[in-house]
Amino acid sequence: MERRQFISLSCFAGLIGLHPNIFAIAAEKSGAEKGFIMTVNGKIDISAMGLTLPHEHIVTDFKGAEPASRLEYDNEATASLLLPYLKAAKKSGINTIIECTPAHIGRNVKLLQLLSKASAINIITNTGYYAAVGQKYLPKHAFTETSEELATRWLKEWESGIDGTDIRPGFIKLGVDNAPLKPVEITLIKAAAIVHLKSGLKIAIHTGNAAAAREEVELLIKSGVSPEALIWVHAQNDTTGFLHVELAKKGCWISLDGINEQPDSLVQYRNHIYRMKGEGLLHKLLISHDDGFAVTEDSGKAAFKAFENGNTVPYKTIFGVLKSSLTALGITRDEFKMITVTNPANAFRIKVCPQG
């Protein structure tokens, strides 16, 4: 029987010499390239995502990549402690959380799987390294290995599982500081490009400022990656919002992910969202809180403290406060659903282009 290979429209565009983003909007609107989502419990259809928080944390350890000692904690006991917050999120309608804690900052996929099963919330973890905050969270080998060598490490997690488990990442998480990008940051981005082209995993980059975001896009395009594969994390750092429009028009995902209940902050986020609506770009927008819990120490034992980044209760402000505020601005019910359901599914769906 004849064997036929079918490829996505965006892959086809690249193969015939067109920019891969040429078919992106049409594909998103038609649903022709559905793909799938990879959670800590395995593959799901994008239709199973539901209401999604695309940038949150559950447990993060800020000691650094290779501290002299790290506080250990029991996964079962920790899951019991944090489960009420996830159950409350589930009760509010949240069905999926994208957990953005990378390796060497406390990523714990076994804990995430426990919490996902107990709360019935889809949780998605990641591969990749975080070079922001002065490269404090980079392991030593990240400074000496090539992009190809780093990509091999991350692809192994995709193909075989993370930390000896069968849990696979659902996206690539990087972090960079302000522009100009440092050599190690460029190496990481090139590594992510290799992994994306071989796996289909999208690339979410914590980005210091708008100029760095523009550099990221240029690097990815030179590496053969469509801007549609990039999620610009902390895009709110561009307070003018001008680059939101420029990069969204190129296909990038604009992630406003520090939403909190402080009045001045809410006004800022409302303005960003309203501007995107006026530009006809709500279909490229993601919103989240960047909430979570940090590992701390209490009497020599590990304890957990909420980030307290302006929210009284983690994972709640978007649906408890911001939603009604956006309605008053003229954001319709369907538009809000697009931002919180359709967009995350499109942003994190995995579509593999054939290589070789």
Side-chain angles (χ1 to χ4, degrees):
M1 184 175 181
E2 182 183 3
R3 182 179 181 270
R4 296 184 180 182
Q5 186 177 46
F6 295 88
I7 64 175
S8 69
L9 289 174
S10 57
C11 297
F12 175 70
L15 291 174
I16 64 174
L18 297 176
H19 194 286
N21 196 44
I22 191 169
F23 294 120
I25 293 177
E28 286 170 9
K29 291 181 178 179
S30 70
E33 298 182 310
K34 286 187 65 178
F36 62 91
I37 301 295
M38 183 60 71
T39 77
V40 295
N41 293 315
K43 186 185 298 186
I44 63 171
D45 190 88
I46 63 169
S47 63
M49 285 269 280
L51 204 61
T52 298
L53 293 176
H55 188 99
E56 306 293 345
H57 300 270
I58 292 179
V59 170
T60 303
D61 187 335
F62 293 111
K63 270 203 165 185
E66 296 174 349
S69 63
R70 193 183 295 276
L71 290 168
E72 301 293 333
Y73 57 86
D74 179 76
N75 282 341
E76 296 281 354
T78 304
S80 297
L81 179 67
L82 301 180
L83 186 58
Y85 296 97
L86 295 187
K87 284 187 171 180
K90 180 69 174 181
K91 189 174 181 180
S92 73
I94 296 164
N95 201 53
T96 300
I97 290 178
I98 313 294
E99 216 283 352
C100 292
T101 304
H104 306 291
I105 316 184
R107 182 187 64 175
N108 184 341
V109 298
K110 292 180 180 179
L111 174 63
L112 298 183
Q113 189 176 67
L114 281 173
L115 286 166
S116 178
K117 290 179 177 179
S119 66
I121 287 180
N122 299 316
I123 297 179
I124 299 169
T125 190
N126 62 83
T127 191
Y129 290 162
Y130 186 89
V133 195
Q135 301 154 31
K136 175 183 178 181
Y137 301 105
L138 282 182
K140 291 178 182 177
H141 65 255
F143 295 95
T144 59
E145 291 189 352
T146 65
S147 295
E148 291 76 13
E149 288 170 329
L150 291 170
T152 297
R153 289 178 180 271
W154 303 344
L155 282 166
K156 185 177 179 180
E157 294 191 328
W158 167 244
E159 294 164 356
S160 303
I162 297 170
D163 297 336
T165 73
D166 61 358
I167 299 169
R168 295 164 64 188
F171 67 106
I172 304 160
K173 172 65 184 296
L174 306 181
V176 303
D177 285 321
N178 292 344
L181 295 177
K182 301 172 183 66
V184 70
E185 295 170 334
I186 292 171
T187 298
L188 295 181
I189 293 170
K190 289 180 176 179
I194 294 169
V195 176
H196 167 74
L197 291 172
K198 290 182 179 294
S199 67
L201 294 174
K202 300 297 181 61
I203 306 167
I205 308 181
H206 166 119
T207 304
N209 63 2
R214 183 181 277 120
E215 285 191 46
E216 292 164 4
V217 173
E218 292 170 355
L219 272 171
L220 290 174
I221 291 174
K222 288 179 182 177
S223 298
V225 175
S226 166
E228 191 219 5
L230 174 64
I231 300 164
W232 174 10
V233 175
H234 302 325
Q236 68 270 13
N237 290 344
D238 174 21
T239 56
T240 68
F242 294 137
L243 200 61
H244 299 170
V245 174
E246 176 187 325
L247 295 191
K249 286 181 177 179
K250 290 180 181 289
C252 297
W253 294 96
I254 308 304
S255 184
L256 307 175
D257 39 48
I259 291 173
N260 62 78
E261 60 198 40
Q262 303 307 306
D264 289 346
S265 178
L266 279 174
V267 169
Q268 176 193 2
Y269 283 101
R270 281 170 29 128
N271 289 343
H272 285 319
I273 295 167
Y274 192 66
R275 180 184 295 107
M276 292 291 279
K277 175 183 171 76
E279 295 285 346
L281 293 169
L282 284 182
H283 67 288
K284 300 305 300 184
L285 183 66
L286 302 170
I287 59 174
S288 211
H289 306 94
D290 194 22
D291 272 337
F293 296 84
V295 180
T296 60
E297 186 173 351
D298 183 10
S299 302
K301 296 181 179 180
F304 303 90
K305 182 180 180 182
F307 285 179
E308 296 180 353
N309 63 353
N311 293 313
T312 305
V313 179
Y315 321 127
K316 186 176 180 180
T317 298
I318 287 174
F319 308 103
V321 180
L322 181 66
K323 183 179 180 181
S324 59
S325 180
L326 292 177
T327 300
L329 270 184
I331 302 296
T332 68
R333 180 178 178 180
D334 286 345
E335 287 171 335
F336 188 78
K337 182 179 179 181
M338 177 171 63
I339 296 168
T340 57
V341 178
T342 307
N343 290 357
N346 284 332
F348 287 90
R349 64 180 175 175
I350 298 168
K351 301 176 294 180
V352 181
C353 294
Q355 298 295 298

